C-alpha cells in the first residue's frame, strides 16, 4: 500500500467514519470505484486505492464482478481480538530482500486473522519525510503494532530511528525491528529485533573462503552501510583471526562497487584473492566492475554476497551467498509482536536465525569445485 494522498486519505477517512457510524452494515455494498470517483472528484485509480486500503484493514471484502461489501467494523475487530499491524519499511516495493519478508509476514498474519497495512516509501521524496508521514498514517488508524526496518543511508540516521521508535512506544504501539537495530553497532536498543545472526553468517563466509584456499580476503560495503554490515564484516574477520591468517593493509573497504576507478585501486593496492560483499547487489555490481577491469571471477578473485536474491544465479558468474530464511524471519517477527502486545513488560529480545551458505561458481576457483556444491 502507498501512503494516502490528500484525496485518497479523504476517501478512506470518510468511509471509515460511515462504517463506524453504522451507515453501512455488515454485508452491505459500499459505493463503487466509479461512484467514489464522481463523488470525491478524483480519478478511478485513486478511488480504487482507497477501497484496497479498507480491504487491507479488514473492513471490507472486494468481490470480482460484484462490488465491495462491508465485512466488519473497527470496533467489532477489536472485540474479536483481531489485530492490525503496519509495515514501516523505507523503500518498500523496491527492495530485493525486505519485500519478500514483508510478503511472508502478511501471509502469517492473515492466517492468524490479523490485518497488515503496507506502506510504500519509495517515492522521490526523502526517506525521512516519507517515514514520518507513514508513522502519522498508522497512528491515525490506531494500529496495534508496527514492523520497523530502521533507516539506512540518510544523514543522522540514528537520531531519526530513535525518534521514530520512541514515537511508536509513546503512543502505545508495539514495535518490532526487522533486520537491523535503531542504534549503530555495537550498541543495542530496548526494542525487540528479529533477523539473521549476521556475525555467525559472516564467520561462515570467512571459513568457506579459507577452505577454498583464499588468504587475502577483504570485505566491501557501500558508504553509510547499516549496522548489520559491521556484524558481517566482524564475522569474516573473526574467521581469519581464528585461522591465524594475518591481514596486511585494510580489511573492511568502503566504496561504490560499480566505480571502476575505485575497484581498480582495490585490486592494485590490496591484491585480494577474495572479496566478501555486504549484500548481493554490491557483489553483483562488483563482479561487473571486475570484468571490465579484466579480473576473472573466481580465478583471480572470489566474490561472495549476502541475501540470495532472485538474480543471484543470473549473473555472468553465479553468486555464492548467504541465504536468509525469509519464512522463518516472518514467523518469528509475528510471534514477537504478538508477545510484545500480550506481555509489554517483557525484557527486549534479540531473535537471530541462522542463514544458509549457498555455494556457486563465484568462489570455487582455487580449491576446485567440491562434491555437493550448488
Amino acid at each position: 500500500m502507498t501512503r494516502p494522498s490528500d484525496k485518497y486519505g479523504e476517501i478512506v477517512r470518510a468511509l471509515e467514519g460511515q462504517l463506524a457510524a453504522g451507515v453501512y452494515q455488515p454485508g452491505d455494498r459500499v459505493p463503487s470505484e466509479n461512484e467514489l470517483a464522481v463523488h470525491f472528484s478524483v480519478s478511478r485509480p485513486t478511488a480504487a486505492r482507497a477501497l484496497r486500503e479498507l480491504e487491507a484493514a479488514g473492513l471490507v471484502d472486494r468481490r470480482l464482478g460484484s462490488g465491495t461489501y462491508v465485512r466488519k467494523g473497527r470496533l467489532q475487530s477489536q472485540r474479536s481480538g483481531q489485530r492490525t499491524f503496519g509495515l514501516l519499511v523505507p523503500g518498500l516495493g523496491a527492495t530485493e530482500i525486505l519485500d519478500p519478508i514483508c510478503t511472508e509476514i502478511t501471509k502469517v498474519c492473515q492466517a492468524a486473522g490479523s490485518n497488515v497495512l503496507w506502506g510504500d516509501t519509495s517515492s522521490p521524496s526523502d526517506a525521512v519525510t516519507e517515514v514520518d508521514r507513514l508513522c502519522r498514517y498508522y497512528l491515525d488508524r490506531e494500529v496495534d503494532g508496527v514492523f520497523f526496518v530502521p533507516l539506512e543511508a540518510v544523514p543522522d540516521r540514528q537520531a531519526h530511528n530513535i525518534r521514530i521508535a520512541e514515537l511508536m512506544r509513546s503512543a502505545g504501539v508495539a514495535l518490532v525491528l526487522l533486520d537491523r537495530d535503531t542504534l549503530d553497532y555495537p550498541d543495542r536498543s530496548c526494542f525487540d529485533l528479529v533477523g539473521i545472526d549476521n556475525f555467525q553468517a559472516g564467520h561462515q563466509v570467512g571459513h568457506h573462503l579459507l577452505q577454498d584456499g583464499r588468504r587475502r580476503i577483504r570485505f566491501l560495503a557501500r558508504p553509510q552501510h547499516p549496522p548489520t554490515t559491521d556484524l558481517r564484516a566482524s564475522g569474516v574477520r573473526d574467521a581469519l583471526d581464528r585461522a591465524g591468517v594475518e591481514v596486511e593493509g585494510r580489511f573492511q573497504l568502503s566504496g561504490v562497487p560499480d566505480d571502476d576507478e575505485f575497484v581498480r585501486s582495490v585490486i592494485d593496492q590490496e591484491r585480494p584473492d577474495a572479496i566478501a560483499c555486504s549484500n548481493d547487489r554490491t557483489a553483483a555490481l562488483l563482479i561487473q566492475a571486475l570484468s571490465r577491469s579484466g579480473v576473472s571471477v573466481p580465478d583471480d578473485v572470489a566474490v561472495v554476497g549476502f541475501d540470495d536474491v532472485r538474480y543471484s544465479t543470473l549473473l555472468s558468474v553465479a553468486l555464492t551467498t548467504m541465504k536468509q530464511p525469509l519464512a522463518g524471519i516472518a514467523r518469528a517477527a509475528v510471534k514477537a509482536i504478538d508477545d510484545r502486545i500480550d506481555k509489554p513488560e517483557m525484557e527486549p529480545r534479540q531473535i537471530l536465525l541462522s542463514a544458509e551458505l549457498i555455494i556457486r561458481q563465484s568462489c570455487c576457483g582455487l580449491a576446485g569445485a567440491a562434491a555437493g556444491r550448488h
Side-chain angles (χ1 to χ4, degrees):
M1 297 289 175
T2 55
R3 68 172 179 82
S5 64
D6 291 342
K7 282 293 186 180
Y8 167 38
E10 180 184 347
I11 298 173
V12 171
R13 288 189 294 272
L15 289 177
E16 283 183 334
Q18 291 173 337
L19 292 172
V23 175
Y24 300 103
Q25 295 297 314
D28 286 352
R29 182 180 177 279
V30 300
S32 67
E33 296 172 7
N34 285 335
E35 291 168 334
L36 291 172
V38 171
H39 181 77
F40 288 93
S41 300
V42 298
S43 67
R44 182 172 174 178
T46 297
R49 288 174 60 196
L51 292 178
R52 286 199 301 271
E53 181 63 38
L54 293 174
E55 182 181 35
L59 300 179
V60 300
D61 287 316
R62 304 184 75 202
R63 304 172 191 171
L64 186 62
S66 176
T68 303
Y69 297 83
V70 178
R71 179 160 49 175
K72 59 176 67 175
R74 180 181 300 276
L75 294 179
Q76 290 172 303
S77 296
Q78 291 175 342
R79 284 195 289 267
S80 69
Q82 189 180 55
R83 289 169 173 170
T84 298
F85 303 119
L87 294 170
L88 191 55
V89 183
L92 186 57
T95 62
E96 286 287 344
I97 193 64
L98 295 174
D99 286 6
I101 290 177
C102 291
T103 297
E104 293 293 334
I105 286 175
T106 301
K107 291 178 182 177
V108 174
C109 287
Q110 289 177 342
S114 299
N115 305 308
V116 178
L117 304 180
W118 283 57
D120 182 2
T121 56
S122 59
S123 75
S125 300
D126 69 277
V128 175
T129 299
E130 292 300 316
V131 168
D132 283 344
R133 288 173 178 170
L134 197 55
C135 283
R136 293 193 294 271
Y137 174 54
Y138 287 154
L139 292 177
D140 287 344
R141 276 145 186 78
E142 300 177 353
V143 297
D144 299 287
V146 165
F147 300 98
F148 177 36
V149 177
L151 291 159
E152 181 180 347
V154 299
D156 300 320
R157 67 181 181 196
Q158 182 168 281
H160 288 300
N161 288 328
I162 292 172
R163 175 180 55 80
I164 292 164
E166 290 297 333
L167 175 64
M168 291 297 166
R169 182 164 67 172
S170 64
V173 176
L175 188 73
V176 167
L177 305 176
L178 296 176
D179 184 64
R180 50 187 176 258
D181 208 331
T182 56
L183 304 182
D184 288 343
Y185 175 79
D187 292 332
R188 177 75 178 91
S189 73
C190 60
F191 297 97
D192 297 323
L193 169 64
V194 178
I196 64 169
D197 188 336
N198 287 285
F199 182 87
Q200 191 265 349
H203 194 281
Q204 282 191 68
V205 168
H207 179 70
H208 172 69
L209 289 171
L210 290 170
Q211 283 190 320
D212 199 47
R214 313 289 172 167
R215 289 298 180 270
R216 293 190 61 83
I217 300 170
R218 297 295 183 265
F219 188 94
L220 173 63
R222 289 172 171 272
Q224 295 185 306
H225 53 261
T228 52
T229 294
D230 293 321
L231 283 165
R232 293 171 181 180
S234 297
V236 176
R237 183 62 185 264
D238 184 68
L240 304 186
D241 292 342
R242 289 176 182 270
V245 176
E246 186 175 345
V247 176
E248 299 177 3
R250 297 176 297 165
F251 169 72
Q252 188 168 345
L253 311 173
S254 177
V256 180
D258 55 352
D259 182 334
D260 290 351
E261 184 177 350
F262 165 73
V263 172
R264 188 70 255 176
S265 70
V266 168
I267 298 301
D268 292 342
Q269 296 171 19
E270 305 301 328
R271 295 179 290 108
D273 59 16
I275 300 177
C277 296
S278 56
N279 56 41
D280 286 351
R281 176 170 174 77
T282 298
L285 293 174
L286 175 64
I287 288 175
Q288 294 173 346
L290 290 172
S291 177
R292 291 193 295 270
S293 295
V295 178
S296 174
V297 177
D299 295 337
D300 298 327
V301 178
V303 176
V304 183
F306 279 82
D307 295 339
D308 193 32
V309 299
R310 288 172 294 178
Y311 55 75
S312 296
T313 60
L314 304 178
L315 302 171
S316 58
V317 180
L319 182 64
T320 293
T321 185
M322 296 300 299
K323 181 182 180 66
Q324 294 210 36
L326 306 182
I329 291 173
R331 289 191 296 269
V334 174
K335 185 178 188 309
I337 206 165
D338 281 334
D339 289 346
R340 179 56 54 190
I341 293 172
D342 295 337
K343 300 176 182 178
E345 74 285 353
M346 284 194 313
E347 290 295 317
R349 297 175 297 170
Q350 192 169 198
I351 303 168
L352 304 180
L353 284 69
S354 296
E356 177 188 1
L357 178 64
I358 304 297
I359 305 173
R360 301 190 180 102
Q361 290 89 342
S362 69
C363 76
C364 57
L366 293 184
R373 288 187 173 181
H374 295 253

